[in-house]
């Protein structure tokens, strides 16, 4: 029986050796002293294993107010109407003074002529002399009328020129306001477009909310500082205008 057992053992050993020969060498994995299998040596630079990098999100800045400090069309029209009325009032007052001056000068000429005529009583040529005095008075009055008409013409021309200057300034202000308003509209549309893009990226990348919040706070601080500077400039401009009026 012992002979048969040893024969069986030899047969099993021969069979296992044959199987190993057919299957080829078995790859072995080194074992660490602690009995754990070490990690495989993967390529960390592989694009398949590299973590996804979030795309940077830029908050668009609010568009600048280009019409800040400029009078709007209603203010321009009101200012033009005020200047026009002031010029008309000045011309009317000047015409009234010229008319009063003309009347006084004519009265003085008439009174002087009457005194001269009254002084001539005994001269045999008193009628001729009185007629000559009357003719001189009429010529002087006609000269005054001519100067009066010339003065009115010069006065009204100066008024029209000043009105033309005021209208030109108003047109320039309106043109500048409309131009800047158009630029503001273009900037507003660009801002809305960029803001919509930023909102979409923000929804796709919630991790950027903290960074966006800090950037928004910084942007608000800059805008508040710009607003304070603009208010200061506006106050200085108003003070200069009040000083010029005085």
């Amino acid at each position: 029986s012992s002979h048969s057992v040893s024969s069986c053992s030899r047969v099993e050993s021969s069979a296992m050796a044959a199987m190993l020969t057919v299957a080829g060498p078995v790859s072995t994995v080194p074992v660490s002293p602690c009995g754990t299998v070490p990690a495989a040596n993967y390529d960390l630079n592989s694009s398949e294993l590299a973590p996804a990098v979030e795309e940077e999100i830029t908050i668009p800045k609010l568009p600048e107010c280009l019409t800040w400090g400029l009078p709007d069309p209603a203010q321009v029209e009101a200012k033009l109407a005020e200047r026009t009325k002031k010029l008309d009032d000045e011309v009317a007052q000047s015409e009234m003074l010229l008319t009063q001056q003309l009347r006084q000068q004519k009265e003085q000429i008439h009174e002087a002529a009457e005194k001269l005529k009254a002084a001539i009583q005994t001269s045999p040529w008193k009628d001729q002399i009185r007629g000559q005095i009357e003719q001189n008075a009429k010529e002087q009055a006609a000269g005054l009328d001519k100067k009066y008409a010339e003065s009115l013409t010069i006065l009204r021309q100066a008024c029209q020129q000043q009105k033309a200057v005021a209208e030109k300034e108003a047109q320039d202000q309106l043109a500048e306001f409309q131009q800047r308003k158009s630029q503001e509209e273009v900037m507003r549309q660009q801002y809305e477009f960029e803001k919509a893009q930023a909102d979409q990226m923000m929804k796709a990348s919630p991790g950027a909310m903290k960074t966006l919040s800090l950037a928004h706070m910084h942007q608000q601080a800059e805008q508040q500082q710009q607003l304070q500077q603009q208010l200061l400039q506006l106050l200085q401009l108003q003070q200069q205008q009040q000083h010029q009026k005085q």
Side-chain angles (χ1 to χ4, degrees):
S1 61
S2 61
H3 177 74
S4 58
V5 171
S6 60
S7 298
C8 290
S9 298
R10 285 194 300 271
V11 172
E12 290 178 357
S13 299
S14 299
M16 290 180 64
M19 291 176 61
L20 290 176
T21 303
V22 174
V26 178
S27 60
T28 59
V29 178
V31 179
S32 64
C34 296
T36 59
V37 179
N41 187 17
Y42 295 109
D43 184 6
L44 297 180
N45 294 324
S46 174
S47 59
E48 297 179 357
L49 299 177
V53 178
E54 294 184 354
E55 186 176 357
E56 182 180 357
I57 302 176
T58 303
I59 299 179
K61 291 185 178 181
L62 288 173
E64 182 182 358
C65 182
L66 301 178
T67 56
W68 175 265
L70 292 180
D72 57 27
Q75 293 174 335
V76 172
E77 294 294 341
K79 185 66 175 179
L80 177 60
E82 180 183 354
R83 293 180 64 179
T84 301
K85 183 179 182 303
K86 184 178 180 181
L87 289 172
D88 291 336
D89 293 342
E90 290 176 353
V91 169
Q93 185 178 4
S94 299
E95 289 183 357
M96 182 180 65
L97 293 176
L98 287 174
T99 302
Q100 292 177 354
Q101 183 180 2
L102 176 64
R103 183 173 62 251
Q104 292 173 359
Q105 290 175 347
K106 283 186 174 182
E107 290 176 354
Q108 291 173 359
I109 291 173
H110 179 71
E111 290 176 358
E114 291 299 322
K115 288 180 180 180
L116 287 175
K117 289 190 293 182
I120 301 172
Q121 297 292 337
T122 58
S123 175
W125 299 283
K126 61 181 180 181
D127 292 337
Q128 291 84 349
I129 295 174
R130 288 176 180 175
Q132 187 64 39
I133 292 173
E134 187 70 24
Q135 182 63 28
N136 291 337
K138 289 181 180 179
E139 290 177 358
Q140 291 180 6
L144 291 176
D145 288 335
K146 183 179 180 180
K147 290 182 179 180
Y148 172 77
E150 292 175 353
S151 298
L152 285 181
T153 300
I154 294 174
L155 178 64
R156 290 169 181 173
Q157 287 179 350
C159 178
Q160 291 300 325
Q161 290 176 356
Q162 294 183 21
K163 283 184 178 180
V165 171
E167 291 177 357
K168 181 64 168 56
E169 291 179 355
Q171 292 175 357
D172 292 342
Q173 289 177 346
L174 289 174
E176 183 179 4
F177 182 87
Q178 293 298 337
Q179 180 182 3
R180 294 196 180 190
K181 198 69 176 176
S182 299
Q183 292 178 354
E184 283 183 350
E185 180 63 21
V186 173
M187 293 169 62
R188 185 192 66 80
Q189 293 178 0
Q190 181 67 21
Y191 167 77
E192 293 294 340
F193 175 75
E194 293 178 357
K195 182 176 181 297
Q197 287 186 330
D199 290 341
Q200 292 179 356
M201 294 172 64
M202 200 162 40
K203 291 178 182 178
S205 179
M209 291 297 296
K210 182 176 180 181
T211 303
L212 290 174
S213 299
L214 292 175
H216 184 63
M217 291 174 61
H218 180 68
Q219 179 180 345
Q220 286 183 337
E222 289 182 349
Q223 292 174 354
Q224 185 176 6
Q225 185 178 3
Q226 292 178 358
L227 180 60
Q228 291 177 352
Q229 293 177 354
Q230 291 174 348
L231 288 173
L232 180 60
Q233 292 176 358
L234 182 60
L235 290 175
Q236 292 176 351
L237 179 60
Q238 291 177 349
Q239 291 176 356
Q240 292 177 359
Q241 292 176 349
Q242 292 177 357
H243 181 69
Q244 291 175 356
K245 289 181 179 179
Q246 294 175 357

